[in-house]
Amino acid sequence: VAEKSPVYADAGVTMATTSKLPTFNVNVLYRNLFGNAETLKGLASFGDSQTGSFSLLFSKPMVFDSGRPNTPPTGNFNASISYNGGTIFRDSGYVERSAGVNLQLASDDECHKLEYLGVWRDTLPLDKESLSKGAKNGNSNSILTACRPTMKSSMRYTFTHDETDHKLIPTKGHFVKCSGEVAGFGGDVAFGKMEGSGRIYHPITKDVSIGAGCFGGLLAPLGALISPKGLNPFGTPSVLNDRFFFRGVRDLRIRGVAEFGPHDDGDAIGGDAYFTVGSHVSYCPPIPVFQENNVRLHAFANAGNLQLLSGDDKDGDMKSRFLELVQPENLRGSAGIGVVAPMPFGRFEINLVSPLDMGALASGSLRTDSRGNGVSAQLRWALDSEFS
């Protein structure tokens, strides 16, 4: 058996985790750095929504003694430093630059991960060059107020349990992922953040499968945990960089998904709480090219909402703010049909999808938006590692 070369390099296109737009990546990997299976990996990324990012990742396996005779050490240690020259958020009218360090301990199966994150973020209004590429002219007060440097120092734990039969095109089994993050160990931001997702799949026949999934998250600023009125973790506004945004296949599968949720003068400003639910039925036709490559047809429906909870200027008590999150008239949804296929860098979908006004549906009217427009379809393609 020939030993692998210690140096490996490749290039490819993936989807940016925030903007969900194509990004060109260059990777260089050095194996067995100190003779104990350590690796050193360098990554450079460039794209239409990213002016350039660079990272260096060191990984070492077998860091914990198992405590049992004749059993090898377990666990992995990862350390990385990164710099992001600027990620453009056109729907929100700002650019985010960042630099930081990430220290991580993980189990062999990556079911458990414990991380420390120290990240400097700088938020800037979009410049004229970026505006000429499609951003709106001018910035809202919310974005201008958020344009300042911040330093986040946090601990995050992630639990992942995957019992599906395929990472990208599952037809049976279940998947659960949840994470909790607490910031305030130094730096100038403090918050508690929880996010979770679950998916379940069941085969009806050899070629037909049904599935359902959900996502949800909650962000609670901790800067003013105790107010004169009592316990109030939402008494101060959350930081823009830490909020949730609707983006990607996992949300509503439609163009302009960032138009949903809190806005200020046309800028998407994100939310402190969100949820999405989805269901689908998939079918693999008896066509060799479909069967051999696990390409499937699917029909789907999605719904969800995004709500801003924090800030002294928010009207109503906390209970009413949470109720607004799930009220039918505030929900947005989509339904459609399409084709899904696994790719080396994610799940590819091309769909014919129609946005839906869930409040109108609840009242017995079929329309796609609050202006009363009827059903309209749009062709949408996407590539993502997360999906519902």
Side-chain angles (χ1 to χ4, degrees):
V1 178
E3 184 178 356
K4 291 183 177 180
S5 170
V7 180
Y8 170 80
D10 70 354
V13 177
T14 60
M15 301 300 289
T17 55
T18 51
S19 67
K20 302 303 180 185
L21 293 175
T23 301
F24 180 72
N25 301 311
V26 177
N27 299 283
V28 178
L29 175 68
Y30 193 97
R31 300 185 179 97
N32 206 24
L33 186 63
F34 301 119
N36 292 297
E38 302 91 350
T39 61
L40 184 65
K41 181 178 181 180
L43 170 66
S45 301
F46 307 89
D48 183 58
S49 65
Q50 196 169 32
T51 57
S53 68
F54 309 91
S55 63
L56 193 64
L57 170 66
F58 171 77
S59 298
K60 176 176 174 53
M62 301 178 293
V63 293
F64 298 115
D65 188 344
S66 65
R68 296 188 297 270
N70 304 318
T71 303
T74 63
N76 299 284
F77 170 73
N78 302 306
S80 67
I81 56 174
S82 62
Y83 170 76
N84 181 359
T87 297
I88 301 172
F89 297 89
R90 292 193 176 90
D91 295 312
S92 301
Y94 72 91
V95 180
E96 179 183 315
R97 298 184 302 177
S98 63
V101 60
N102 182 306
L103 305 176
Q104 179 189 107
L105 292 173
S107 59
D108 287 338
D109 57 4
E110 296 192 346
C111 181
H112 304 276
K113 290 183 181 179
L114 181 64
E115 300 171 271
Y116 168 78
L117 300 95
V119 187
W120 169 84
R121 296 92 53 94
D122 192 13
T123 305
L124 305 169
L126 277 175
D127 57 25
K128 293 182 179 179
E129 179 183 356
S130 298
L131 289 171
S132 67
K133 295 181 181 180
K136 77 180 194 68
N137 188 14
N139 293 97
S140 64
N141 290 332
S142 295
I143 297 300
L144 293 176
T145 303
C147 287
R148 60 184 177 88
T150 59
M151 179 67 192
K152 180 179 80 167
S153 178
S154 69
M155 296 292 296
R156 180 170 64 193
Y157 170 74
T158 303
F159 170 77
T160 306
H161 180 70
D162 189 355
E163 292 290 341
T164 57
D165 60 339
H166 196 282
K167 296 291 184 183
L168 298 174
I169 314 290
T171 59
K172 64 179 179 180
H174 63 274
F175 174 90
V176 176
K177 183 178 180 179
C178 56
S179 65
E181 181 178 4
V182 177
F185 304 97
D188 55 5
V189 295
F191 63 81
K193 190 174 186 179
M194 296 180 295
E195 193 168 12
S197 64
R199 307 193 307 268
I200 188 169
Y201 306 90
H202 181 71
I204 303 301
T205 68
K206 176 185 176 182
D207 298 320
V208 178
S209 174
I210 59 174
C214 62
F215 290 83
L218 178 65
L219 169 67
L222 303 179
L225 188 62
I226 303 297
S227 74
K229 298 179 181 180
L231 183 65
N232 183 19
F234 298 97
T236 56
S238 55
V239 176
L240 178 70
N241 313 73
D242 302 315
R243 293 176 184 165
F244 301 108
F245 288 83
F246 273 169
R247 293 186 176 97
V249 175
R250 50 166 265 181
D251 296 320
L252 298 179
R253 286 187 167 97
I254 54 178
R255 284 193 297 268
V257 70
E259 297 176 2
F260 303 137
H263 281 71
D264 182 8
D265 193 22
D267 287 330
I269 59 175
D272 302 319
Y274 85 95
F275 80 95
T276 62
V277 294
S279 62
H280 76 271
V281 56
S282 67
Y283 168 63
C284 187
I287 302 173
V289 67
F290 278 70
Q291 298 274 348
E292 293 169 4
N293 296 285
N294 201 17
V295 178
R296 302 179 73 89
L297 308 177
H298 74 152
F300 59 86
N302 296 82
N305 195 16
L306 179 68
Q307 188 76 18
L308 188 61
L309 304 177
S310 60
D312 291 331
D313 59 336
K314 299 296 290 179
D315 296 328
D317 58 20
M318 192 54 56
K319 181 179 179 181
S320 64
R321 297 185 200 179
F322 275 104
L323 287 177
E324 289 180 8
L325 184 68
V326 296
Q327 287 175 347
E329 59 267 26
N330 296 329
L331 303 184
R332 291 297 180 265
S334 65
I337 57 174
V339 180
V340 295
M343 297 289 180
F345 29 78
R347 171 183 167 117
F348 175 78
E349 293 192 10
I350 183 165
N351 299 313
L352 189 64
V353 55
S354 175
L356 299 174
D357 187 327
M358 304 304 291
L361 289 176
S363 62
S365 173
L366 183 60
R367 68 187 190 202
T368 62
D369 58 34
S370 58
R371 295 183 293 273
N373 296 328
V375 175
S376 62
Q378 55 184 237
L379 191 64
R380 164 94 181 196
W381 72 272
L383 184 67
D384 209 335
S385 59
E386 293 185 306
F387 50 91
S388 59

